[in-house]
Amino acid sequence: MDAAEFRKRGKEMVDYIADYLEKIDKRQVFPDVEPGYLRPLIPDCAPQDPESFEDVFKDIEKIIMPGVTHWHSPYFFAYFPAASSFPALLADMLCGGIGCVGFSWAASPACTELETVMLDWLGKMINLPDEFLAGKDGQGGGVIQGSASEATLISLLAARTKTVRRVQSEKPELTEADIMGRLVAYASDQAHSSVERAALIGGVKIKNVPSDDTFSVCGSALKKVLDEDKASGLIPFFFCATLGTTPCCSFDKLLELGPICNKENIWMHIDAAYAGSAFICPEFRHLLNGVEFADSFNFNPHKWLLVNFDCSAMWVKKRSDLTGAFKLEPLYLQHHHQESGLVTDYRHWQIPLGRRFRSLKLWFVLRMYGVTGLQEHIRKHVRLSHQFEHLVLQDERFEICAEVVLGLVCFRLKGSNELNKALLKSIDEAKKIHLVPCYLREKFVLRFAICSRTVESTHIKFAWQHISQLTVQLLEKEGKKVTFQ
Amino acid sequence: MDAAEFRKRGKEMVDYIADYLEKIDKRQVFPDVEPGYLRPLIPDCAPQDPESFEDVFKDIEKIIMPGVTHWHSPYFFAYFPAASSFPALLADMLCGGIGCVGFSWAASPACTELETVMLDWLGKMINLPDEFLAGKDGQGGGVIQGSASEATLISLLAARTKTVRRVQSEKPELTEADIMGRLVAYASDQAHSSVERAALIGGVKIKNVPSDDTFSVCGSALKKVLDEDKASGLIPFFFCATLGTTPCCSFDKLLELGPICNKENIWMHIDAAYAGSAFICPEFRHLLNGVEFADSFNFNPHKWLLVNFDCSAMWVKKRSDLTGAFKLEPLYLQHHHQESGLVTDYRHWQIPLGRRFRSLKLWFVLRMYGVTGLQEHIRKHVRLSHQFEHLVLQDERFEICAEVVLGLVCFRLKGSNELNKALLKSIDEAKKIHLVPCYLREKFVLRFAICSRTVESTHIKFAWQHISQLTVQLLEKEGKKVTFQ
């Protein structure tokens, strides 16, 4: 395919994408396929000779679309949102066209420098303390990671290196293996599984801190486990606080936790993967109070800020903590600007070496929506979640299971877990809407997350009517079961 | 921006990208900017109100392009190639449009299933042993990672978990920390820095195995370090063999190394990040002989197989080794197909949780080029590197520093490192072509890598004439220095 054909096919693809997104509400949100559906539909091996674009293109509807879960359907209420917007799609096209791999400043200066400045823009939008910004001569700064999991891992590894060095200087008789064997990381019992995974990868222990009855970790809970562990000779070194937990969007109490971490020489990382986008609205910014105690902070514009996946924004107060954990410098990656102090080589900030020009997405989205446009998007989602909450509350058969703060509603039928599993099963089978469950303590709970950019009040009403109707059928059936038992 | 405007702007962007790539040879391959150039060109913070697409668009040439290193220029000979092709760009547009996050089968069945089948296609193209393929009921299979660094890390972690479990079952008196403290990983002294980094992350020791005078690790070299380390109580557990090292594209001797690793219970990972693409040509496939001894294998179609970054293909013989190292299963990520045996949840195979629909790029590229089209691409690059090699060899002032096997030529002026540094400096300053250096043993060497999809014989001739001319000027200057000393 040459440039001339790309001009033609690229434009057809633009139209296909516009059509797909404009009419996505007409597609069934969750596919009908069974595992293994795709393999029989395509050949066993790659073709020897080139096929035409037409042949490939017509297979999109035939082979791919029947197996797609439509994350941008207004009937998609599962997980958390995956952001999507037209400005971000345009920026990603440009990113692909430029096709640079920006592992160092020299590998493409624009790629590195735009990222640093965009993370400053974004940091200012959520009113991060100045220490987290790069500015012209700051010690902190931001970086785009691929996912919150990587941000958690990188911060845990930086904390590990820092602590091993500190303990070794205090107690030179200890070997690195001795110290590693005594390090402990902590996170809420509501924290994302990626935190436990980061500790597994880093080869250190991790312990859950019990959350309170609002599913938040408070200072006294952390203090209790720290005291026990220190008494038994362990070395606490890392705490991952969550703002907006995955099960129910609860918030750890930063203002209590932060001072404890600071006093105990514990790195505090904040994972606000979903909730972080909301902090651009002044009315939600208070949820971030206490960030001033943290060493690192992360949220995912690719969840809720209209920047297509992947774009996970991470900031640190001391960039040297990250780079100090990893820096390895073979000659073919050195360049003569390196020691100027102005230069950032982002490969020292992340797990992979290569990186795409992802800051273009932020630049396009922030400029073409403006802060006010993005605030409107957040506020619409929060409004819709409260609309759904009110519908649930008006129905005596149901209960709300956790405070609705942002765009997630946790709800269930009053009654057994089995009953709620049966309700979810009937929702799954009908495939009119898509949502996923969670456990809160021992309770099986349905999560209703406002996701799509184009979801409106009518879709919320439809979803609730649909759930109500399935509930009636379910309770009738259950009633019959009881009657005939 | 609504769908109607996206149709218009998307088409403009397609034309912009086509123009950029068609006329990329007219742009200076390496930018003129100094560190910090970008910040003064844009505002201090994000705009409150939306800006128009036109405003953003015109800033691409004004702010971004002056700072771009043009990786797809036919005058770019640095690092290794970053793949780019029109079919891959089209597939990436589609990937963005669908915008699913495929961390589990259910999150988008097509995303997972196409990936499994595409990795089988690709595995067959390089004639990987069947054990590495997923097929309908294989124990192995492939996955797309973001980078070779991640593939190395994941395999090292899987090996670590496997070894810790084995040693614990053999010697229950040892704690996990005891074992971790005695684990050692190995790689060639020519291996990529990401291998050392993987060991740092995993908290285990790593040792260099000395390469021979062809920069390859042979069996006896590995055996020697293993014997020494075992004698001193260490536990060797992981060896990363490299096919196509970054400095000079040398090849470790798999057929000698593999049997040693198998006998010693050492996980052998093969990193063929750059060279792997060449194995689709029968005449280069012999370089992969010995892969049958490996536990995992990785190469980057995003380097040399015309699939835009990121697409790093990794295969394992036992998928349970990867998933066993990490599996954590919160309820909101479970789905009822999970235990069917047919289902792959790729999030257990990788560091991040989320993942894009990257297999679309492979599907588009493999079909629209066909195996023969891709072989032509590889063969053209190898032909061009030999063309450059011959030009160097005809000039008595220069020497070739390592065997030219694929698309990389390591060369230098006969003489001091200082002289060669001066030559590179004059190349850097002229900015007509772009390349980077390396050290081979103590020698400072220039790396000339064939990179661009559109590079032709004329560009190679131009590059050599340019280097020759700069050499004349340099030697004249040096001569004068000598004269006047």
Side-chain angles (χ1 to χ4, degrees):
Chain A
M1 183 180 290
D2 59 10
E5 195 186 351
F6 173 70
R7 287 178 202 271
K8 179 166 151 51
R9 303 313 186 183
K11 289 164 192 176
E12 292 170 15
M13 189 60 86
V14 165
D15 278 327
Y16 180 80
I17 292 167
D19 287 343
Y20 171 69
L21 290 171
E22 268 189 322
K23 298 174 198 154
I24 198 165
D25 57 330
K26 307 287 185 292
R27 295 179 188 255
Q28 180 176 289
V29 59
F30 192 79
D32 279 326
V33 299
E34 292 293 311
Y37 90 95
L38 186 137
R39 193 179 284 271
L41 300 179
I42 66 177
D44 266 353
C45 49
Q48 279 300 305
D49 298 314
E51 295 181 52
S52 70
F53 177 78
E54 285 94 336
D55 283 343
V56 177
F57 190 72
K58 70 174 197 291
D59 281 347
I60 298 172
E61 280 299 329
K62 213 171 106 192
I63 293 171
I64 302 302
M65 283 300 170
V68 169
T69 304
H70 300 291
W71 280 63
H72 305 292
S73 161
Y75 301 109
F76 183 93
F77 303 105
Y79 315 109
F80 274 134
S84 174
S85 70
F86 294 118
L89 291 176
L90 293 170
D92 247 357
M93 288 166 63
L94 180 61
C95 166
I98 294 176
C100 64
V101 184
F103 42 71
S104 67
W105 181 86
S108 216
C111 178
T112 294
E113 297 205 8
L114 187 66
E115 185 161 331
T116 307
V117 179
M118 284 305 103
L119 272 282
D120 274 3
W121 277 21
L122 198 56
K124 288 176 190 171
M125 282 169 65
I126 58 171
N127 201 12
L128 270 191
D130 280 349
E131 292 164 277
F132 286 104
L133 305 182
K136 278 177 198 154
D137 48 12
Q139 307 210 326
V143 57
I144 299 177
Q145 303 282 356
S147 64
S149 311
E150 287 165 83
T152 305
L153 174 58
I154 284 284
S155 56
L156 179 137
L157 294 172
R160 191 188 69 179
T161 302
K162 203 175 170 177
T163 308
V164 168
R165 286 184 192 152
R166 179 174 55 77
V167 175
Q168 273 187 323
S169 74
E170 289 166 9
K171 301 181 184 171
E173 70 278 13
L174 292 179
T175 67
E176 192 170 327
D178 290 337
I179 300 169
M180 287 273 291
R182 289 161 63 179
L183 294 179
V184 204
Y186 302 88
S188 166
D189 56 18
Q190 301 298 307
H192 193 270
S193 56
S194 56
V195 187
E196 185 178 345
R197 208 155 174 269
L200 268 176
I201 292 170
V204 294
K205 292 182 191 56
I206 180 154
K207 296 198 177 182
N208 280 339
V209 184
S211 57
D212 63 16
D213 51 11
T214 64
F215 306 102
S216 309
V217 171
C218 60
S220 58
L222 178 63
K223 187 142 192 337
K224 187 162 175 289
V225 288
L226 290 183
D227 288 344
E228 287 166 11
D229 287 348
K230 284 195 297 178
S232 65
L234 297 175
I235 306 171
F237 80 106
F238 179 78
F239 173 65
C240 177
T242 310
L243 298 182
T245 58
T246 310
C248 73
C249 199
S250 57
F251 293 78
D252 290 343
K253 293 178 176 159
L254 294 190
L255 288 167
E256 296 176 25
L257 297 160
I260 298 173
C261 291
N262 287 182
K263 180 167 166 270
E264 302 280 353
N265 257 326
I266 293 171
W267 181 296
M268 183 161 84
H269 173 68
I270 300 174
D271 171 11
Y274 164 68
S277 298
F279 306 153
I280 65 166
C281 301
E283 68 271 32
F284 299 122
R285 173 55 178 78
H286 68 96
L287 295 165
L288 185 59
N289 287 348
V291 67
E292 56 275 19
F293 298 109
D295 296 281
S296 52
F297 170 74
N298 167 251
F299 86 93
N300 290 350
H302 71 228
K303 279 202 165 66
W304 203 12
L305 212 60
L306 296 174
V307 181
N308 280 54
F309 187 85
D310 51 344
C311 178
S312 179
M314 179 191 190
W315 291 263
V316 283
K317 270 190 194 156
K318 285 196 189 157
R319 49 168 73 201
S320 58
D321 285 340
L322 289 195
T323 56
F326 298 119
K327 209 162 181 172
L328 296 170
E329 205 82 82
L331 182 64
Y332 48 83
L333 293 179
Q334 287 171 23
H335 51 87
H336 70 278
H337 281 300
Q338 215 142 27
E339 299 307 323
S340 78
L342 262 172
V343 166
T344 300
D345 286 336
Y346 272 128
R347 67 202 168 83
H348 299 305
W349 297 52
Q350 60 174 22
I351 301 292
L353 173 64
R355 50 206 333 271
R356 284 174 301 126
F357 201 158
R358 293 178 291 202
S359 57
L360 288 171
K361 289 190 284 202
L362 271 174
W363 196 47
F364 274 47
V365 168
L366 298 183
R367 292 182 68 183
M368 288 193 229
Y369 277 92
V371 174
T372 53
L374 294 167
Q375 287 171 336
E376 272 169 35
H377 172 67
I378 298 288
R379 285 170 181 151
K380 181 180 92 168
H381 273 200
V382 178
R383 207 163 52 236
L384 293 176
S385 75
H386 285 303
Q387 180 190 350
F388 187 81
E389 179 191 20
H390 292 143
L391 290 165
V392 174
L393 285 172
Q394 281 163 26
D395 188 327
E396 286 200 337
R397 298 168 301 178
F398 285 88
E399 60 186 348
I400 294 288
C401 308
E403 188 189 357
V404 177
V405 181
L406 299 175
L408 176 68
V409 183
C410 287
F411 72 108
R412 70 196 301 275
L413 275 166
K414 291 170 185 167
S416 69
N417 283 353
E418 283 56 46
L419 186 65
N420 281 285
K421 284 179 188 172
L423 174 59
L424 183 66
K425 187 158 180 271
S426 66
I427 295 171
D428 274 354
E429 285 170 358
K431 296 185 183 178
K432 299 278 188 200
I433 61 174
H434 186 48
L435 41 77
V436 294
C438 71
Y439 274 108
L440 288 176
R441 307 292 180 231
E442 306 302 310
K443 283 186 176 174
F444 185 90
V445 168
L446 281 66
R447 290 172 80 263
F448 188 90
I450 310 295
C451 287
S452 164
R453 181 174 56 81
T454 59
V455 62
E456 297 293 345
S457 180
T458 51
H459 303 108
I460 304 300
K461 279 184 216 149
F462 170 84
W464 177 247
Q465 280 161 7
H466 176 60
I467 293 169
S468 299
Q469 204 174 345
L470 293 174
T471 301
V472 170
Q473 291 167 12
L474 175 71
L475 293 178
E476 256 178 27
K477 219 170 64 183
E478 293 285 319
K480 276 184 197 149
K481 260 195 218 163
V482 176
T483 314
F484 287 99
Q485 253 169 7
Chain B
M1 183 179 291
D2 59 10
E5 195 187 351
F6 173 70
R7 287 177 203 271
K8 179 166 152 50
R9 302 312 185 183
K11 290 164 193 175
E12 292 170 15
M13 189 60 86
V14 166
D15 279 326
Y16 180 79
I17 293 167
D19 287 343
Y20 171 68
L21 291 172
E22 268 188 324
K23 297 175 200 153
I24 199 165
D25 57 330
K26 307 288 183 292
R27 294 180 188 255
Q28 180 175 292
V29 58
F30 193 79
D32 279 325
V33 299
E34 291 294 311
Y37 90 95
L38 186 137
R39 193 179 284 270
L41 300 180
I42 66 177
D44 265 352
C45 50
Q48 279 299 304
D49 297 314
E51 295 181 51
S52 70
F53 177 79
E54 285 94 336
D55 283 343
V56 178
F57 190 72
K58 71 173 196 291
D59 281 346
I60 298 172
E61 281 298 330
K62 211 172 106 193
I63 294 171
I64 302 302
M65 284 302 170
V68 169
T69 304
H70 300 292
W71 280 63
H72 305 293
S73 161
Y75 301 109
F76 182 93
F77 303 104
Y79 315 110
F80 273 134
S84 173
S85 71
F86 293 119
L89 291 177
L90 292 170
D92 246 358
M93 287 166 65
L94 180 61
C95 166
I98 294 175
C100 63
V101 185
F103 42 71
S104 67
W105 181 86
S108 217
C111 177
T112 295
E113 297 205 8
L114 187 67
E115 184 161 332
T116 308
V117 178
M118 283 307 101
L119 273 282
D120 275 3
W121 278 22
L122 198 57
K124 288 175 189 172
M125 282 168 66
I126 57 170
N127 201 13
L128 268 192
D130 280 348
E131 293 164 276
F132 286 104
L133 306 182
K136 279 176 195 151
D137 47 14
Q139 307 210 327
V143 58
I144 300 177
Q145 304 283 356
S147 64
S149 312
E150 287 166 83
T152 305
L153 175 59
I154 284 282
S155 56
L156 179 136
L157 295 171
R160 191 188 70 179
T161 303
K162 205 177 170 177
T163 308
V164 168
R165 285 182 192 151
R166 179 174 56 75
V167 176
Q168 273 186 323
S169 74
E170 289 165 9
K171 301 180 185 169
E173 71 278 13
L174 292 179
T175 66
E176 193 172 324
D178 290 337
I179 300 169
M180 288 274 291
R182 289 162 62 180
L183 294 178
V184 204
Y186 302 88
S188 166
D189 56 17
Q190 300 297 308
H192 193 268
S193 56
S194 56
V195 188
E196 185 178 347
R197 207 154 176 268
L200 268 177
I201 292 171
V204 294
K205 291 180 189 58
I206 181 155
K207 296 198 177 181
N208 280 339
V209 185
S211 57
D212 64 15
D213 51 11
T214 65
F215 306 103
S216 309
V217 171
C218 60
S220 58
L222 178 63
K223 188 143 190 334
K224 186 162 175 288
V225 286
L226 290 182
D227 287 346
E228 287 167 10
D229 287 348
K230 285 195 298 178
S232 65
L234 297 175
I235 306 172
F237 80 105
F238 179 78
F239 174 65
C240 177
T242 310
L243 298 181
T245 57
T246 310
C248 71
C249 199
S250 57
F251 292 78
D252 289 343
K253 294 177 176 162
L254 293 189
L255 288 166
E256 297 176 23
L257 298 160
I260 298 172
C261 290
N262 287 182
K263 180 166 167 270
E264 302 280 352
N265 258 324
I266 293 171
W267 181 297
M268 183 161 83
H269 174 68
I270 299 173
D271 171 12
Y274 164 68
S277 298
F279 306 153
I280 66 167
C281 300
E283 68 272 30
F284 299 121
R285 173 56 178 77
H286 69 95
L287 295 165
L288 185 59
N289 288 348
V291 66
E292 55 275 18
F293 298 108
D295 296 280
S296 52
F297 170 73
N298 168 250
F299 87 92
N300 290 350
H302 70 229
K303 279 203 164 65
W304 204 12
L305 213 60
L306 297 174
V307 181
N308 281 54
F309 188 85
D310 52 340
C311 178
S312 179
M314 178 192 190
W315 291 264
V316 282
K317 271 191 192 153
K318 284 194 190 158
R319 47 167 75 201
S320 59
D321 285 339
L322 289 196
T323 57
F326 299 117
K327 209 161 181 172
L328 297 171
E329 204 82 86
L331 182 63
Y332 49 83
L333 294 179
Q334 286 171 26
H335 51 87
H336 70 280
H337 282 298
Q338 214 143 26
E339 298 308 323
S340 77
L342 263 172
V343 166
T344 300
D345 286 337
Y346 272 127
R347 67 203 167 85
H348 299 305
W349 299 50
Q350 62 173 23
I351 301 291
L353 173 64
R355 51 207 330 275
R356 284 172 302 126
F357 201 157
R358 292 178 290 202
S359 56
L360 288 171
K361 287 189 287 202
L362 271 174
W363 196 46
F364 274 46
V365 168
L366 299 182
R367 292 181 70 184
M368 287 191 228
Y369 277 92
V371 174
T372 51
L374 294 168
Q375 287 171 336
E376 274 169 35
H377 171 67
I378 298 289
R379 285 170 181 150
K380 181 180 93 169
H381 274 201
V382 178
R383 207 165 50 237
L384 293 176
S385 74
H386 285 303
Q387 181 190 347
F388 187 81
E389 180 191 18
H390 291 143
L391 290 166
V392 175
L393 285 172
Q394 281 163 27
D395 189 327
E396 288 198 338
R397 297 168 300 178
F398 286 89
E399 61 186 346
I400 293 289
C401 308
E403 189 190 355
V404 178
V405 181
L406 299 174
L408 177 68
V409 183
C410 286
F411 72 108
R412 70 197 300 277
L413 275 168
K414 292 171 187 166
S416 69
N417 284 352
E418 282 55 46
L419 186 66
N420 280 285
K421 283 179 189 174
L423 174 58
L424 182 67
K425 187 157 179 272
S426 67
I427 295 171
D428 275 354
E429 285 171 359
K431 296 186 184 180
K432 298 278 187 199
I433 61 174
H434 186 47
L435 42 77
V436 294
C438 71
Y439 273 107
L440 289 176
R441 307 291 180 233
E442 308 300 313
K443 284 186 175 173
F444 185 91
V445 167
L446 279 66
R447 291 172 79 264
F448 189 89
I450 310 294
C451 288
S452 164
R453 181 174 57 79
T454 59
V455 62
E456 299 292 345
S457 180
T458 49
H459 302 109
I460 304 300
K461 277 184 219 150
F462 170 84
W464 177 247
Q465 281 160 6
H466 176 59
I467 293 169
S468 300
Q469 202 173 345
L470 293 174
T471 301
V472 170
Q473 291 167 13
L474 176 70
L475 293 179
E476 256 178 30
K477 219 170 66 182
E478 294 286 317
K480 275 185 201 148
K481 262 195 217 162
V482 175
T483 313
F484 288 98
Q485 254 171 5

